[in-house]
Amino acid sequence: MPDNGDVEAVDASPRGDSQVRVYGMAPRDGAQPNEIVEGFLEAMTGDDPEFATARKYLTKKVSQKWDPRQVTVLDNGPVPQADRSNDREGGAYTYALTGTKIAEVNEQRAYQPVKQAYRETIHLSRQNGPDGQEWRIDGLPPGLVLGESDFERIYTRVNKYYFASGTSSERTGAHPWLVADPVYVRKRMDPQTQMDPVTQTVEALLSGPTNWLKPVVGSSFPTGTALKLKEGTKSLVFDDRNALKVPLNGKASNVGQKRCREMAAQLLFTLRDLTSYRVGQVELQRSDNSTLCVLGGDQAEDFAPERASGSPDYQYFLDTKHRLVRMVGSAENTGSEDEAEPVPGPLGGGERLLGTVGVARDERRAAGVSKDARSLYVASIVSDSEPEKPVLTSGAKLEEDRLSAPSWDGRGDLWVADRDPRQPRLLRLAGGEGDPEEVRVVDGLDGARIEALKVSADGVRIALLVTEDGRTTLKLGRIERHGPDDSPEVSVVDLRPIAPQMEEVTAVSWAGRSRLVVVGRESGGVQQLRYLQTDGSTSDAQSVPGANRVTTVASADDDRLPLLAHSLEDGIVRLPPGANWKTVASKGSSPVYPG
């Protein structure tokens, strides 16, 4: 420590990423074909601007066409294999790239899980260079080809946020609901754009929702809105108060204050998902750098995605008398069988023997399916009332072919599947009452039967367990509404697999804005609990300790609350954050959070 001298001001450390950069090696003079291929594969994992090193392995023509925005992810990386028919004297060489493809990331930065064999080719030819003829690549697969470990090192997931269609404040009198749209950005500087992760994320938000979510969400940013950075500037910068100024082009200069605040809310919640940054305030600027509007963190809570469901007051399950009972749902409560009490009304009074249940997100009503799975009842759980007639009855002969467990969305609609093989149907009760309406399921069901379902709080996504040829898998569908707001035609479209790596999925629950908790097993493996993102990517959350023979799992949108599960060996169990599973009730079934 110095003990004399003048005091000097020290600038704050730059906020930029200080992680180690990776740079590939340029091809050496006289490099052989195998060196060219291996050097190019290594250079694709690097951080050099515009992939300059990787392009040195390519012919000039191929380099101009190569677009590294698309990414193919292989489980253990690409393995090059020389074609036996190669003839060096003929001036050409071919290598096969093989592996197991587990995902693709498209130009919109959207992740799509797959599970299939990968085989592409790299073709080399002799090219004239300054020191004579050199081997260079003149044919290659599109985009980047990365192993899973390299992909996880280079990219990070972030949720963009857009407003659910049909939830505008003009119609409801409240702020519209934000829906998470997960994408991947580079953790460090993007070689193509020279943008840091924050600026990449803002640019991705302004470009609009991904194609899969686009039909059911909208953005408050006017079409064509883009960043207008100062000349020579590539990235946005936080000030010392964690505030971010975002300069926009002329497309957004004339929006009103209400709409501007919605735009700022989209930005603020999107940036909060970059965990290395703490955003205190967002200031949107016009093209002339004047202030358009300002939104602070506290003000943005009115737009919070989880406000549709909130933090539930109780946790629920069915006791040994097939009654709906509840426990206090706080994170501090460790829970015990003695703390569970029947809910008010017929569902907790024993008038109806229940087999499965779903609690409305406002915790004022619940829907119960009878023990034989034949009838669906809806009743109050805040006051006593007379038992009502079933709102839906299944005519299937076998119990396993009748009604699934019900699920509520944040709009107050109730969903259930009738698994009758003679007439399988997905049904919705608008507002949780009235006559059930059949929901068309298109694009992806392909003859499979819906076994179970969970609807997201925002009401635009639905997780389905579907069975075909004796195998149950997990798919995510998009809920579209067309026609008048008070009587829309509802359909579930564009189903896509979420966990193709799992051979069998037993149970699923929503666990946040874009996350699911899944019970299942891989081929040849044992049962496991795992968090998955709604795009099918593995969550960065901690792994879930296994419980014994789990049949049902339940999670709240508030990640401070414990997981609930039903174990055939241990009964109703609960997993608080950072702890182990604990038995709440030695006997019971159907644990649920509201939703």
Side-chain angles (χ1 to χ4, degrees), residues 374 376 391-396 401-405 415-429 435-441 445 448-453 462 464 492:
R374 185 179 297 278
L376 174 69
V391 295
L392 175 65
T393 302
S394 174
D401 291 337
R402 295 171 187 160
L403 301 178
S404 72
W415 299 69
V416 67
D418 186 352
R419 300 170 291 190
D420 188 340
R422 297 170 300 179
Q423 190 183 8
R425 298 177 297 166
L426 176 62
L427 300 162
R428 180 184 74 104
L429 281 77
D435 296 327
E437 303 169 2
E438 184 170 356
V439 177
R440 288 195 314 128
V441 182
L445 201 55
R449 185 176 81 164
I450 298 173
E451 295 292 338
L453 59 95
I462 183 171
L464 300 173
V492 173

